[in-house]
Amino acid sequence: MKKTKILSRRRRTLRRVLISAAIILLINRIFMIGLLFPIQAIRHFEERAGTGRTAVICRDWAPEIHGSHLLYLTENENILMLSGTYLTVYGWMDAFGVAADCTTPAPIHGGRWSMDREGRTNLVYAFCRLEDPEIIRLEVLAEYEDWSSGQPVRQSAFRWDREWVCGEEDRHFLFRKRGVNWSTYPSPLYLTAVGYDIAGNEIARVELDQGASSNFG
């Protein structure tokens, strides 16, 4: 009799756990809230962007935007993606992202993403994947247009040179610039990835025109 009661309690407990899990999953899918893990928010962005499943290469922390703000660099055969998530009282939330199309043959694929919070904090990211094995060094140039001569002339704002390499084969790059003051520049910034061979010769130049700007409240 005692054994039967214990089994009944276990079945009730298991039933409640399963019902609770089903409710959580339902809330996750319908309302996009209650996410327990940051990678779940990244998966939601994949679905919205139509990228298919991607594999994580590396991640970064951007406390200037939110105290828990995480950025994930992920990829599959056709996409290189930088996307974000942050923790709220409703669980981990999707924080937008940029999915760079890699289906067109090119020596370098990548994108850019600038973000700020209430206009106070400015971050600029560039992310790249090297496709040409002859490229052994990567540089990303940030430039603006100067119209003082009556014609647009590109001027240097800043540059990155191998700031952060991630991945096992040194083919993935994530660059970050903090505290960018947009009022310093008379035009939007243009980011260009430049690849060099072992002799130091430039062999590839690709403008990172796939990107977005995000403002967080």
Side-chain angles (χ1 to χ4, degrees):
M1 189 69 178
K2 185 177 181 181
K3 186 176 181 180
T4 302
K5 288 182 178 180
I6 292 174
L7 289 174
S8 296
R9 290 196 197 100
R10 287 178 177 173
R11 290 194 188 98
R12 285 196 297 270
T13 301
L14 179 59
R15 188 182 301 113
R16 288 168 183 164
V17 169
L18 292 175
I19 291 172
S20 299
I23 291 172
I24 290 174
L25 289 174
L26 191 62
I27 291 172
N28 289 169
R29 298 298 300 177
I30 296 177
F31 301 104
M32 302 297 182
I33 61 174
L35 302 178
L36 302 178
F37 305 101
I39 194 63
Q40 290 177 282
I42 305 304
R43 299 303 178 213
H44 278 311
F45 181 75
E46 289 173 347
E47 291 181 14
R48 288 198 297 109
T51 64
R53 181 61 65 93
T54 60
V56 176
I57 301 165
C58 60
R59 70 178 187 177
D60 189 31
W61 177 39
E64 300 93 338
I65 305 299
H66 298 102
S68 59
H69 203 106
L70 298 177
L71 295 167
Y72 281 74
L73 182 64
T74 66
E75 70 167 353
N76 59 31
E77 183 179 352
N78 300 318
I79 293 293
L80 183 64
M81 184 172 78
L82 184 64
S83 54
T85 179
Y86 62 99
L87 187 62
T88 73
V89 294
Y90 302 108
W92 288 94
M93 300 291 289
D94 173 7
F96 315 116
V98 175
D101 182 12
C102 301
T103 56
T104 301
I108 303 168
H109 285 119
R112 54 180 173 75
W113 190 11
S114 60
M115 61 188 73
D116 66 79
R117 183 172 184 185
E118 299 176 348
R120 297 194 307 265
T121 301
N122 301 301
L123 293 174
V124 177
Y125 282 88
F127 55 101
C128 301
R129 181 172 76 192
L130 303 185
E131 309 291 1
D132 185 348
E134 296 299 315
I135 299 175
I136 60 97
R137 183 170 71 85
L138 182 69
E139 181 180 56
V140 174
L141 310 177
E143 300 173 306
Y144 63 91
E145 288 184 344
D146 182 359
W147 287 78
S148 59
S149 64
Q151 298 291 330
V153 178
R154 291 279 182 97
Q155 300 287 351
S156 176
F158 54 87
R159 67 179 59 200
W160 291 286
D161 184 4
R162 203 175 173 88
E163 177 185 314
W164 185 2
V165 183
C166 47
E168 296 180 356
E169 300 178 357
D170 290 356
R171 309 305 293 173
H172 300 88
F173 292 76
L174 182 63
F175 301 93
R176 175 187 60 209
K177 177 72 172 178
R178 289 188 165 102
V180 177
N181 184 358
W182 301 115
S183 63
T184 305
Y185 311 110
S187 79
L189 292 180
Y190 300 88
L191 302 189
T192 304
V194 183
Y196 299 88
D197 65 14
I198 194 170
N201 300 313
E202 179 184 322
I203 59 173
R205 180 176 287 256
V206 176
E207 189 156 315
L208 303 177
D209 53 6
Q210 300 185 77
S213 297
S214 301
N215 180 276
F216 297 91

Short mmCIF file of all heavy atoms in Angstrom, two decimals, residues 78-141:
data_model
loop_
_atom_site.label_atom_id
_atom_site.label_comp_id
_atom_site.label_asym_id
_atom_site.label_seq_id
_atom_site.Cartn_x
_atom_site.Cartn_y
_atom_site.Cartn_z
N ASN A 78 26.41 29.31 -45.64
CA ASN A 78 25.91 30.44 -46.41
C ASN A 78 25.87 31.77 -45.67
O ASN A 78 25.65 32.81 -46.28
CB ASN A 78 24.49 30.14 -46.92
CG ASN A 78 24.45 28.91 -47.80
OD1 ASN A 78 25.33 28.72 -48.65
ND2 ASN A 78 23.45 28.07 -47.61
N ILE A 79 26.06 31.74 -44.36
CA ILE A 79 25.83 32.93 -43.53
C ILE A 79 26.96 33.10 -42.51
O ILE A 79 27.43 32.12 -41.92
CB ILE A 79 24.48 32.81 -42.78
CG1 ILE A 79 23.31 32.87 -43.75
CG2 ILE A 79 24.35 33.90 -41.72
CD1 ILE A 79 23.13 34.20 -44.45
N LEU A 80 27.36 34.34 -42.30
CA LEU A 80 28.19 34.72 -41.15
C LEU A 80 27.37 35.75 -40.38
O LEU A 80 26.97 36.76 -40.96
CB LEU A 80 29.52 35.31 -41.60
CG LEU A 80 30.50 35.67 -40.48
CD1 LEU A 80 30.94 34.42 -39.72
CD2 LEU A 80 31.71 36.41 -41.04
N MET A 81 27.12 35.48 -39.12
CA MET A 81 26.13 36.28 -38.39
C MET A 81 26.67 36.76 -37.05
O MET A 81 27.32 36.02 -36.32
CB MET A 81 24.86 35.44 -38.17
CG MET A 81 23.72 36.19 -37.50
SD MET A 81 22.20 35.20 -37.47
CE MET A 81 22.56 34.07 -36.11
N LEU A 82 26.38 38.03 -36.76
CA LEU A 82 26.64 38.58 -35.43
C LEU A 82 25.29 38.98 -34.85
O LEU A 82 24.57 39.80 -35.44
CB LEU A 82 27.56 39.79 -35.50
CG LEU A 82 27.98 40.40 -34.16
CD1 LEU A 82 28.81 39.41 -33.35
CD2 LEU A 82 28.78 41.69 -34.37
N SER A 83 24.92 38.39 -33.73
CA SER A 83 23.61 38.66 -33.13
C SER A 83 23.76 38.78 -31.62
O SER A 83 24.78 38.38 -31.05
CB SER A 83 22.60 37.57 -33.49
OG SER A 83 23.10 36.29 -33.14
N GLY A 84 22.73 39.35 -30.98
CA GLY A 84 22.86 39.64 -29.55
C GLY A 84 21.67 39.18 -28.73
O GLY A 84 20.60 38.88 -29.25
N THR A 85 21.89 39.18 -27.43
CA THR A 85 20.85 38.85 -26.47
C THR A 85 21.21 39.46 -25.12
O THR A 85 22.39 39.73 -24.85
CB THR A 85 20.70 37.32 -26.33
OG1 THR A 85 19.70 37.01 -25.36
CG2 THR A 85 22.01 36.67 -25.88
N TYR A 86 20.19 39.71 -24.30
CA TYR A 86 20.45 40.22 -22.96
C TYR A 86 19.37 39.70 -22.01
O TYR A 86 18.27 39.36 -22.44
CB TYR A 86 20.54 41.75 -22.93
CG TYR A 86 19.28 42.46 -23.35
CD1 TYR A 86 18.39 42.97 -22.40
CD2 TYR A 86 18.97 42.65 -24.69
CE1 TYR A 86 17.23 43.64 -22.79
CE2 TYR A 86 17.82 43.31 -25.08
CZ TYR A 86 16.96 43.80 -24.12
OH TYR A 86 15.81 44.45 -24.50
N LEU A 87 19.71 39.66 -20.74
CA LEU A 87 18.82 39.09 -19.73
C LEU A 87 17.89 40.16 -19.17
O LEU A 87 18.33 41.26 -18.82
CB LEU A 87 19.65 38.48 -18.60
CG LEU A 87 18.88 37.70 -17.53
CD1 LEU A 87 18.16 36.50 -18.14
CD2 LEU A 87 19.85 37.24 -16.44
N THR A 88 16.60 39.83 -19.10
CA THR A 88 15.58 40.71 -18.52
C THR A 88 14.78 39.92 -17.49
O THR A 88 15.02 38.72 -17.28
CB THR A 88 14.63 41.24 -19.60
OG1 THR A 88 13.76 40.17 -20.03
CG2 THR A 88 15.40 41.78 -20.80
N VAL A 89 13.81 40.57 -16.88
CA VAL A 89 12.95 39.87 -15.92
C VAL A 89 12.09 38.84 -16.64
O VAL A 89 11.51 37.96 -15.99
CB VAL A 89 12.04 40.87 -15.17
CG1 VAL A 89 12.85 41.78 -14.29
CG2 VAL A 89 11.19 41.68 -16.15
N TYR A 90 11.99 38.92 -17.95
CA TYR A 90 11.22 37.96 -18.74
C TYR A 90 12.10 36.87 -19.35
O TYR A 90 11.66 36.10 -20.20
CB TYR A 90 10.48 38.68 -19.87
CG TYR A 90 9.55 39.76 -19.38
CD1 TYR A 90 9.88 41.10 -19.56
CD2 TYR A 90 8.38 39.45 -18.71
CE1 TYR A 90 9.05 42.11 -19.10
CE2 TYR A 90 7.54 40.46 -18.24
CZ TYR A 90 7.88 41.78 -18.44
OH TYR A 90 7.05 42.77 -17.98
N GLY A 91 13.36 36.81 -18.92
CA GLY A 91 14.29 35.84 -19.49
C GLY A 91 15.19 36.48 -20.53
O GLY A 91 15.23 37.71 -20.67
N TRP A 92 15.93 35.68 -21.26
CA TRP A 92 16.82 36.18 -22.29
C TRP A 92 16.02 36.66 -23.48
O TRP A 92 15.10 35.99 -23.93
CB TRP A 92 17.81 35.09 -22.72
CG TRP A 92 18.83 34.80 -21.68
CD1 TRP A 92 18.77 33.84 -20.72
CD2 TRP A 92 20.05 35.50 -21.45
NE1 TRP A 92 19.87 33.88 -19.91
CE2 TRP A 92 20.69 34.90 -20.35
CE3 TRP A 92 20.68 36.57 -22.09
CZ2 TRP A 92 21.92 35.34 -19.87
CZ3 TRP A 92 21.90 37.02 -21.62
CH2 TRP A 92 22.52 36.40 -20.51
N MET A 93 16.38 37.85 -23.98
CA MET A 93 15.65 38.46 -25.08
C MET A 93 16.54 38.59 -26.31
O MET A 93 17.74 38.85 -26.21
CB MET A 93 15.15 39.86 -24.68
CG MET A 93 14.22 39.86 -23.47
SD MET A 93 12.61 39.10 -23.79
CE MET A 93 11.88 40.35 -24.84
N ASP A 94 15.93 38.44 -27.47
CA ASP A 94 16.60 38.67 -28.75
C ASP A 94 16.97 40.15 -28.86
O ASP A 94 16.13 41.02 -28.63
CB ASP A 94 15.64 38.24 -29.86
CG ASP A 94 16.13 38.57 -31.25
OD1 ASP A 94 17.27 39.01 -31.40
OD2 ASP A 94 15.35 38.36 -32.20
N ALA A 95 18.22 40.45 -29.21
CA ALA A 95 18.69 41.84 -29.30
C ALA A 95 19.19 42.15 -30.71
O ALA A 95 20.23 42.78 -30.88
CB ALA A 95 19.78 42.10 -28.27
N PHE A 96 18.45 41.69 -31.71
CA PHE A 96 18.75 41.99 -33.11
C PHE A 96 20.04 41.31 -33.57
O PHE A 96 20.59 40.48 -32.87
CB PHE A 96 18.80 43.50 -33.37
CG PHE A 96 17.68 44.27 -32.74
CD1 PHE A 96 17.93 45.22 -31.75
CD2 PHE A 96 16.38 44.04 -33.12
CE1 PHE A 96 16.89 45.93 -31.18
CE2 PHE A 96 15.34 44.74 -32.55
CZ PHE A 96 15.59 45.69 -31.57
N GLY A 97 20.52 41.72 -34.73
CA GLY A 97 21.73 41.15 -35.28
C GLY A 97 21.88 41.46 -36.75
O GLY A 97 21.04 42.12 -37.36
N VAL A 98 22.99 40.99 -37.33
CA VAL A 98 23.28 41.16 -38.75
C VAL A 98 23.71 39.82 -39.31
O VAL A 98 24.63 39.18 -38.79
CB VAL A 98 24.41 42.19 -38.97
CG1 VAL A 98 24.78 42.27 -40.45
CG2 VAL A 98 23.99 43.56 -38.45
N ALA A 99 23.04 39.40 -40.38
CA ALA A 99 23.38 38.15 -41.06
C ALA A 99 23.98 38.51 -42.42
O ALA A 99 23.29 39.02 -43.29
CB ALA A 99 22.15 37.28 -41.22
N ALA A 100 25.27 38.27 -42.58
CA ALA A 100 25.96 38.59 -43.83
C ALA A 100 25.89 37.40 -44.78
O ALA A 100 26.27 36.28 -44.42
CB ALA A 100 27.41 38.96 -43.56
N ASP A 101 25.40 37.65 -45.98
CA ASP A 101 25.28 36.61 -46.99
C ASP A 101 26.66 36.22 -47.51
O ASP A 101 27.44 37.07 -47.92
CB ASP A 101 24.41 37.15 -48.14
CG ASP A 101 24.18 36.12 -49.23
OD1 ASP A 101 24.49 34.93 -49.02
OD2 ASP A 101 23.69 36.51 -50.32
N CYS A 102 26.96 34.92 -47.50
CA CYS A 102 28.26 34.43 -47.96
C CYS A 102 28.13 33.55 -49.20
O CYS A 102 29.05 32.78 -49.51
CB CYS A 102 28.95 33.66 -46.84
SG CYS A 102 29.26 34.60 -45.34
N THR A 103 27.01 33.62 -49.90
CA THR A 103 26.78 32.73 -51.04
C THR A 103 27.48 33.22 -52.31
O THR A 103 27.73 32.43 -53.22
CB THR A 103 25.27 32.58 -51.32
OG1 THR A 103 24.70 33.87 -51.52
CG2 THR A 103 24.58 31.91 -50.14
N THR A 104 27.77 34.52 -52.40
CA THR A 104 28.47 35.04 -53.57
C THR A 104 29.98 34.88 -53.36
O THR A 104 30.50 35.29 -52.33
CB THR A 104 28.15 36.54 -53.78
OG1 THR A 104 26.75 36.69 -53.95
CG2 THR A 104 28.86 37.07 -55.01
N PRO A 105 30.69 34.28 -54.31
CA PRO A 105 32.13 34.08 -54.15
C PRO A 105 32.86 35.39 -53.89
O PRO A 105 32.66 36.39 -54.59
CB PRO A 105 32.55 33.46 -55.48
CG PRO A 105 31.31 32.81 -56.01
CD PRO A 105 30.18 33.70 -55.58
N ALA A 106 33.72 35.40 -52.89
CA ALA A 106 34.50 36.59 -52.53
C ALA A 106 35.67 36.14 -51.67
O ALA A 106 35.59 35.13 -50.97
CB ALA A 106 33.64 37.61 -51.78
N PRO A 107 36.79 36.89 -51.69
CA PRO A 107 37.94 36.50 -50.85
C PRO A 107 37.68 36.72 -49.37
O PRO A 107 38.30 36.08 -48.52
CB PRO A 107 39.05 37.41 -51.36
CG PRO A 107 38.34 38.60 -51.95
CD PRO A 107 37.08 38.05 -52.54
N ILE A 108 36.77 37.65 -49.05
CA ILE A 108 36.42 37.96 -47.67
C ILE A 108 34.92 38.16 -47.59
O ILE A 108 34.33 38.84 -48.43
CB ILE A 108 37.12 39.26 -47.17
CG1 ILE A 108 38.63 39.16 -47.32
CG2 ILE A 108 36.74 39.56 -45.72
CD1 ILE A 108 39.35 40.48 -47.14
N HIS A 109 34.29 37.55 -46.61
CA HIS A 109 32.88 37.81 -46.34
C HIS A 109 32.77 38.44 -44.95
O HIS A 109 33.56 38.13 -44.05
CB HIS A 109 32.06 36.52 -46.38
CG HIS A 109 31.81 36.02 -47.76
ND1 HIS A 109 32.26 34.79 -48.19
CD2 HIS A 109 31.16 36.57 -48.82
CE1 HIS A 109 31.90 34.60 -49.45
NE2 HIS A 109 31.24 35.67 -49.86
N GLY A 110 31.78 39.30 -44.78
CA GLY A 110 31.61 39.89 -43.46
C GLY A 110 30.56 40.97 -43.43
O GLY A 110 29.83 41.19 -44.40
N GLY A 111 30.48 41.65 -42.31
CA GLY A 111 29.49 42.70 -42.12
C GLY A 111 29.90 43.64 -41.01
O GLY A 111 31.00 43.54 -40.44
N ARG A 112 28.99 44.54 -40.69
CA ARG A 112 29.26 45.55 -39.66
C ARG A 112 27.98 45.75 -38.85
O ARG A 112 26.88 45.51 -39.31
CB ARG A 112 29.66 46.86 -40.31
CG ARG A 112 28.65 47.35 -41.34
CD ARG A 112 29.03 48.64 -42.01
NE ARG A 112 28.11 48.95 -43.09
CZ ARG A 112 26.88 49.42 -42.93
NH1 ARG A 112 26.41 49.64 -41.71
NH2 ARG A 112 26.10 49.66 -43.96
N TRP A 113 28.17 46.21 -37.62
CA TRP A 113 27.03 46.49 -36.76
C TRP A 113 27.42 47.59 -35.79
O TRP A 113 28.40 47.45 -35.06
CB TRP A 113 26.63 45.23 -36.00
CG TRP A 113 25.33 45.32 -35.26
CD1 TRP A 113 24.38 46.29 -35.36
CD2 TRP A 113 24.81 44.37 -34.32
NE1 TRP A 113 23.30 46.02 -34.54
CE2 TRP A 113 23.54 44.85 -33.90
CE3 TRP A 113 25.29 43.18 -33.80
CZ2 TRP A 113 22.76 44.17 -32.97
CZ3 TRP A 113 24.52 42.49 -32.88
CH2 TRP A 113 23.26 42.99 -32.47
N SER A 114 26.69 48.69 -35.81
CA SER A 114 26.91 49.76 -34.84
C SER A 114 25.71 49.80 -33.91
O SER A 114 24.58 49.52 -34.32
CB SER A 114 27.08 51.11 -35.54
OG SER A 114 25.94 51.45 -36.30
N MET A 115 25.95 50.15 -32.67
CA MET A 115 24.86 50.17 -31.69
C MET A 115 25.13 51.23 -30.63
O MET A 115 26.29 51.59 -30.37
CB MET A 115 24.69 48.79 -31.05
CG MET A 115 25.89 48.27 -30.31
SD MET A 115 25.69 46.53 -29.79
CE MET A 115 25.87 45.70 -31.37
N ASP A 116 24.06 51.74 -30.07
CA ASP A 116 24.20 52.67 -28.96
C ASP A 116 23.01 52.50 -28.03
O ASP A 116 22.00 51.91 -28.40
CB ASP A 116 24.32 54.12 -29.44
CG ASP A 116 23.05 54.62 -30.10
OD1 ASP A 116 22.11 54.98 -29.37
OD2 ASP A 116 22.99 54.66 -31.35
N ARG A 117 23.15 53.03 -26.83
CA ARG A 117 22.07 52.98 -25.86
C ARG A 117 21.69 54.41 -25.49
O ARG A 117 22.49 55.14 -24.91
CB ARG A 117 22.48 52.21 -24.61
CG ARG A 117 21.33 52.08 -23.63
CD ARG A 117 21.61 51.16 -22.47
NE ARG A 117 20.44 51.02 -21.63
CZ ARG A 117 20.42 50.35 -20.48
NH1 ARG A 117 21.51 49.73 -20.06
NH2 ARG A 117 19.31 50.28 -19.77
N GLU A 118 20.48 54.79 -25.86
CA GLU A 118 19.94 56.13 -25.59
C GLU A 118 20.87 57.23 -26.07
O GLU A 118 20.97 58.29 -25.47
CB GLU A 118 19.65 56.27 -24.09
CG GLU A 118 18.62 55.26 -23.58
CD GLU A 118 18.42 55.34 -22.07
OE1 GLU A 118 19.23 56.00 -21.40
OE2 GLU A 118 17.45 54.73 -21.58
N GLY A 119 21.59 56.95 -27.15
CA GLY A 119 22.47 57.95 -27.74
C GLY A 119 23.72 58.25 -26.94
O GLY A 119 24.47 59.16 -27.29
N ARG A 120 23.98 57.49 -25.87
CA ARG A 120 25.11 57.81 -24.99
C ARG A 120 26.33 56.93 -25.25
O ARG A 120 27.45 57.39 -25.15
CB ARG A 120 24.69 57.67 -23.52
CG ARG A 120 23.60 58.60 -23.08
CD ARG A 120 23.50 58.61 -21.57
NE ARG A 120 23.38 57.28 -21.02
CZ ARG A 120 22.22 56.71 -20.72
NH1 ARG A 120 21.08 57.34 -20.96
NH2 ARG A 120 22.18 55.50 -20.19
N THR A 121 26.10 55.67 -25.54
CA THR A 121 27.19 54.72 -25.69
C THR A 121 27.23 54.22 -27.12
O THR A 121 26.21 53.77 -27.64
CB THR A 121 27.02 53.52 -24.73
OG1 THR A 121 26.99 54.02 -23.40
CG2 THR A 121 28.16 52.55 -24.88
N ASN A 122 28.38 54.31 -27.75
CA ASN A 122 28.48 53.90 -29.15
C ASN A 122 29.52 52.80 -29.32
O ASN A 122 30.67 52.95 -28.90
CB ASN A 122 28.86 55.10 -30.01
CG ASN A 122 27.83 56.22 -29.91
OD1 ASN A 122 26.67 56.02 -30.21
ND2 ASN A 122 28.27 57.38 -29.45
N LEU A 123 29.09 51.72 -29.94
CA LEU A 123 29.98 50.61 -30.26
C LEU A 123 29.90 50.34 -31.75
O LEU A 123 28.82 50.41 -32.36
CB LEU A 123 29.57 49.34 -29.51
CG LEU A 123 29.70 49.31 -27.99
CD1 LEU A 123 29.12 48.01 -27.44
CD2 LEU A 123 31.16 49.41 -27.60
N VAL A 124 31.04 50.00 -32.34
CA VAL A 124 31.07 49.58 -33.74
C VAL A 124 31.76 48.23 -33.81
O VAL A 124 32.85 48.05 -33.26
CB VAL A 124 31.82 50.60 -34.63
CG1 VAL A 124 31.88 50.10 -36.06
CG2 VAL A 124 31.15 51.96 -34.58
N TYR A 125 31.11 47.28 -34.47
CA TYR A 125 31.68 45.95 -34.68
C TYR A 125 31.85 45.69 -36.17
O TYR A 125 31.02 46.10 -36.99
CB TYR A 125 30.76 44.87 -34.11
CG TYR A 125 30.83 44.69 -32.62
CD1 TYR A 125 30.03 45.45 -31.78
CD2 TYR A 125 31.70 43.76 -32.04
CE1 TYR A 125 30.08 45.29 -30.40
CE2 TYR A 125 31.76 43.60 -30.67
CZ TYR A 125 30.95 44.36 -29.85
OH TYR A 125 31.01 44.20 -28.49
N ALA A 126 32.93 45.00 -36.51
CA ALA A 126 33.12 44.44 -37.83
C ALA A 126 33.42 42.96 -37.65
O ALA A 126 34.14 42.59 -36.71
CB ALA A 126 34.27 45.12 -38.56
N PHE A 127 32.86 42.13 -38.51
CA PHE A 127 33.11 40.70 -38.41
C PHE A 127 33.38 40.14 -39.80
O PHE A 127 32.74 40.54 -40.77
CB PHE A 127 31.95 39.97 -37.72
CG PHE A 127 30.60 40.19 -38.36
CD1 PHE A 127 30.04 39.24 -39.20
CD2 PHE A 127 29.87 41.34 -38.08
CE1 PHE A 127 28.80 39.44 -39.78
CE2 PHE A 127 28.61 41.55 -38.65
CZ PHE A 127 28.08 40.59 -39.51
N CYS A 128 34.37 39.26 -39.89
CA CYS A 128 34.82 38.78 -41.20
C CYS A 128 35.18 37.30 -41.17
O CYS A 128 35.56 36.77 -40.11
CB CYS A 128 36.07 39.55 -41.66
SG CYS A 128 35.85 41.32 -41.82
N ARG A 129 35.07 36.69 -42.33
CA ARG A 129 35.54 35.32 -42.53
C ARG A 129 36.41 35.33 -43.79
O ARG A 129 35.99 35.79 -44.84
CB ARG A 129 34.37 34.36 -42.70
CG ARG A 129 34.81 32.90 -42.89
CD ARG A 129 33.61 31.97 -42.84
NE ARG A 129 32.83 32.01 -44.06
CZ ARG A 129 31.60 31.46 -44.18
NH1 ARG A 129 31.03 30.91 -43.13
NH2 ARG A 129 30.96 31.52 -45.32
N LEU A 130 37.63 34.81 -43.67
CA LEU A 130 38.53 34.76 -44.80
C LEU A 130 38.22 33.53 -45.65
O LEU A 130 38.16 32.41 -45.13
CB LEU A 130 39.98 34.70 -44.33
CG LEU A 130 40.46 35.85 -43.43
CD1 LEU A 130 41.94 35.71 -43.14
CD2 LEU A 130 40.16 37.20 -44.05
N GLU A 131 38.05 33.74 -46.95
CA GLU A 131 37.77 32.64 -47.87
C GLU A 131 39.00 32.31 -48.72
O GLU A 131 39.12 31.18 -49.20
CB GLU A 131 36.60 33.01 -48.78
CG GLU A 131 35.35 33.51 -48.07
CD GLU A 131 34.63 32.46 -47.24
OE1 GLU A 131 35.11 31.29 -47.20
OE2 GLU A 131 33.60 32.78 -46.63
N ASP A 132 39.88 33.29 -48.91
CA ASP A 132 41.09 33.09 -49.71
C ASP A 132 42.23 32.63 -48.80
O ASP A 132 42.66 33.39 -47.91
CB ASP A 132 41.46 34.40 -50.41
CG ASP A 132 42.65 34.25 -51.35
OD1 ASP A 132 43.33 33.22 -51.31
OD2 ASP A 132 42.89 35.19 -52.14
N PRO A 133 42.75 31.42 -48.99
CA PRO A 133 43.82 30.92 -48.10
C PRO A 133 45.12 31.70 -48.22
O PRO A 133 46.01 31.56 -47.37
CB PRO A 133 43.99 29.46 -48.55
CG PRO A 133 43.48 29.43 -49.96
CD PRO A 133 42.36 30.44 -50.00
N GLU A 134 45.26 32.53 -49.28
CA GLU A 134 46.48 33.31 -49.44
C GLU A 134 46.52 34.51 -48.50
O GLU A 134 47.58 35.10 -48.29
CB GLU A 134 46.59 33.80 -50.90
CG GLU A 134 46.74 32.69 -51.93
CD GLU A 134 48.00 31.86 -51.70
OE1 GLU A 134 49.07 32.46 -51.45
OE2 GLU A 134 47.90 30.62 -51.75
N ILE A 135 45.37 34.87 -47.92
CA ILE A 135 45.32 36.01 -46.99
C ILE A 135 45.83 35.54 -45.63
O ILE A 135 45.28 34.63 -45.03
CB ILE A 135 43.90 36.56 -46.86
CG1 ILE A 135 43.38 37.07 -48.21
CG2 ILE A 135 43.86 37.69 -45.83
CD1 ILE A 135 41.93 37.52 -48.17
N ILE A 136 46.90 36.19 -45.17
CA ILE A 136 47.44 35.82 -43.86
C ILE A 136 47.35 36.96 -42.85
O ILE A 136 47.65 36.79 -41.68
CB ILE A 136 48.90 35.31 -43.98
CG1 ILE A 136 49.81 36.40 -44.57
CG2 ILE A 136 48.98 34.06 -44.84
CD1 ILE A 136 50.56 37.19 -43.57
N ARG A 137 46.94 38.16 -43.32
CA ARG A 137 46.71 39.28 -42.41
C ARG A 137 45.51 40.08 -42.88
O ARG A 137 45.33 40.31 -44.08
CB ARG A 137 47.95 40.20 -42.34
CG ARG A 137 47.79 41.35 -41.33
CD ARG A 137 49.11 42.07 -41.12
NE ARG A 137 49.52 42.85 -42.26
CZ ARG A 137 49.12 44.10 -42.50
NH1 ARG A 137 48.26 44.71 -41.66
NH2 ARG A 137 49.56 44.76 -43.55
N LEU A 138 44.68 40.47 -41.92
CA LEU A 138 43.46 41.21 -42.24
C LEU A 138 43.45 42.55 -41.51
O LEU A 138 43.78 42.62 -40.33
CB LEU A 138 42.22 40.41 -41.85
CG LEU A 138 40.88 41.06 -42.18
CD1 LEU A 138 40.66 41.11 -43.68
CD2 LEU A 138 39.73 40.30 -41.51
N GLU A 139 43.06 43.58 -42.23
CA GLU A 139 42.92 44.91 -41.67
C GLU A 139 41.53 45.43 -42.06
O GLU A 139 41.06 45.17 -43.16
CB GLU A 139 44.00 45.82 -42.24
CG GLU A 139 44.00 47.24 -41.72
CD GLU A 139 45.12 48.05 -42.34
OE1 GLU A 139 45.19 48.12 -43.58
OE2 GLU A 139 45.93 48.62 -41.58
N VAL A 140 40.88 46.14 -41.13
CA VAL A 140 39.59 46.75 -41.44
C VAL A 140 39.73 48.26 -41.28
O VAL A 140 40.14 48.74 -40.22
CB VAL A 140 38.46 46.21 -40.55
CG1 VAL A 140 37.17 46.97 -40.81
CG2 VAL A 140 38.24 44.72 -40.81
N LEU A 141 39.39 48.99 -42.33
CA LEU A 141 39.48 50.44 -42.34
C LEU A 141 38.10 51.06 -42.11
O LEU A 141 37.12 50.63 -42.73
CB LEU A 141 40.02 50.94 -43.68
CG LEU A 141 41.30 50.29 -44.21
CD1 LEU A 141 41.66 50.86 -45.57
CD2 LEU A 141 42.45 50.49 -43.23
#
